[in-house]
Amino acid sequence: MKKLLMILSVLLVSACAPAERTDDGKVTVYTSFYAMYDFTKQLAGDTAAVENLVPVGVEPHDWEPSPEDIVKLEQADVFVYSGKGMESWCEQVLGTLENQDLIVVEAAKDVPELTADGAVDPHVWLDPANARIQMEAIADALVQADPANEAAYRERLAGCTAQLEQLDAAYREQLAACPRKDIIVSHAAYGYLCNAYGLQQTAIEGLAADSDASPARLAEIVDLIRANDIHYIFFEELVQSKAVDTLIQETGVEALALSPFEGDAEGRGYFTVMEENLENLVTALQ
């Protein structure tokens, strides 16, 4: 936060560049982190210029923008973020911008809140129904910024909607057939996914991916694994978890990836990652 305040103080005394279109006339769109980038890019195609603020492969929870990032927002046509507390820096930064023409999209605004341990779970997109709500909000903003290309944005939205419906149907069919319904995850990011498909998550750590599990919590998880003959626990590819390593050594369980789709070092898209998540869930729940 100290870094963010310093950035804001610098920008407040500097002249802000006006919003500009790209050389080829495309609207300029910035997104807050990878999930929002992927959704926006799928909808924008080559019609709009889309750039992500958080670098690929970086876990976004504690990321803060640089002065250069904030200047980009001063020059942008559209800014897409998720909300629900995912981007802790967003409200303060947006309150300082002089770009009065910037179209700001809080993509999760119309998604009902889900809480875990008294805190709002921001990982709304892991339920395809919520991903659809977010994509619709993003598409509306692209149309507002670039009405001449409305047909292209609406066509891509229709294609994504069909894919989301197919994804949801696959999750419902395959998970309903699994005899187990309980999953052990590295952190409590999967509430929306579990609520949608009748699963129950037990989290080693809290909503923040870098929180530390206490020895008492680890002992509880060990007892749970042994009492329920659990063979798999889930980890996240962007986060090194000593707790997961400890549980593997202590119980002999295997680890499978379950991505919260906050970032992806390989640049995979939402549908690919969610299909891989489903495959791993089905493996663990047999």
Side-chain angles (χ1 to χ4, degrees):
M1 183 58 68
K2 184 176 180 181
K3 170 187 171 186
L4 182 53
L5 291 174
M6 179 184 70
I7 291 169
L8 295 177
S9 65
V10 170
L11 291 173
L12 283 172
V13 297
S14 63
C16 295
E20 297 179 354
R21 295 289 174 102
T22 62
D23 291 341
D24 54 7
K26 295 179 181 179
V27 296
T28 300
V29 185
Y30 285 93
T31 59
S32 59
F33 71 102
Y34 188 72
M36 296 302 97
Y37 171 79
D38 181 70
F39 287 0
T40 305
K41 186 62 179 173
Q42 289 194 60
L43 296 168
D46 294 328
T47 310
V50 183
E51 183 176 330
N52 195 33
L53 292 177
V54 178
V56 172
V58 172
E59 205 284 326
H61 279 283
D62 295 323
W63 179 88
E64 291 183 356
S66 68
E68 292 79 7
D69 293 320
I70 299 176
V71 169
K72 289 176 181 178
L73 295 180
E74 291 286 9
Q75 299 173 330
D77 297 297
V78 181
F79 172 58
V80 178
Y81 74 107
S82 185
K84 306 293 186 193
M86 183 65 195
E87 304 92 341
S88 59
W89 52 270
C90 214
E91 182 177 351
Q92 190 170 12
V93 168
L94 290 175
T96 69
L97 295 180
E98 296 184 7
N99 182 357
Q100 298 299 312
D101 296 323
L102 180 66
I103 298 171
V104 177
V105 186
E106 183 183 354
K109 181 178 180 180
D110 293 331
V111 176
E113 287 187 352
L114 180 68
T115 59
D117 299 326
V120 176
D121 183 351
H123 307 88
V124 303
W125 55 90
L126 294 177
D127 178 351
N130 294 339
R132 177 176 179 172
I133 292 172
Q134 293 190 291
M135 286 190 181
E136 289 173 346
I138 295 167
D140 286 345
L142 292 173
V143 170
Q144 181 182 348
D146 186 21
N149 288 302
E150 177 175 4
Y153 299 130
R154 298 298 184 195
E155 182 178 357
R156 295 187 191 108
L157 175 62
C160 288
T161 298
Q163 286 184 274
L164 288 167
E165 291 172 350
Q166 292 171 1
L167 182 67
D168 176 64
Y171 265 76
R172 292 188 184 282
E173 178 182 355
Q174 295 183 42
L175 293 178
C178 293
R180 297 175 183 263
K181 303 299 177 186
D182 296 302
I183 59 174
I184 296 178
V185 298
S186 56
H187 90 285
Y190 305 95
Y192 287 96
L193 185 150
C194 288
N195 276 11
Y197 302 111
L199 304 181
Q200 177 67 43
Q201 70 172 343
T202 297
I204 301 168
E205 300 162 359
L207 275 172
D210 58 353
S211 57
D212 294 323
S214 67
R217 181 57 175 166
L218 289 176
E220 290 176 3
I221 300 295
V222 167
D223 291 342
L224 179 67
I225 289 170
R226 290 172 174 165
N228 294 278
D229 192 30
I230 292 172
H231 302 289
Y232 297 93
I233 59 176
F234 290 104
F235 72 95
E236 297 176 30
E237 294 165 316
L238 291 184
V239 180
Q240 291 290 331
S241 173
K242 292 181 180 178
V244 169
D245 294 339
T246 298
L247 290 172
I248 292 171
Q249 294 172 2
E250 185 71 20
T251 66
V253 294
E254 295 184 47
L256 290 171
L258 190 66
S259 173
F261 200 62
E262 296 171 351
D264 193 278
E266 299 177 12
R268 296 169 299 177
Y270 177 79
F271 295 104
T272 297
V273 169
M274 289 294 286
E275 288 164 2
E276 292 174 358
N277 280 349
L278 177 58
E279 181 178 345
N280 287 345
L281 284 167
V282 170
T283 297
L285 294 173
Q286 296 303 317

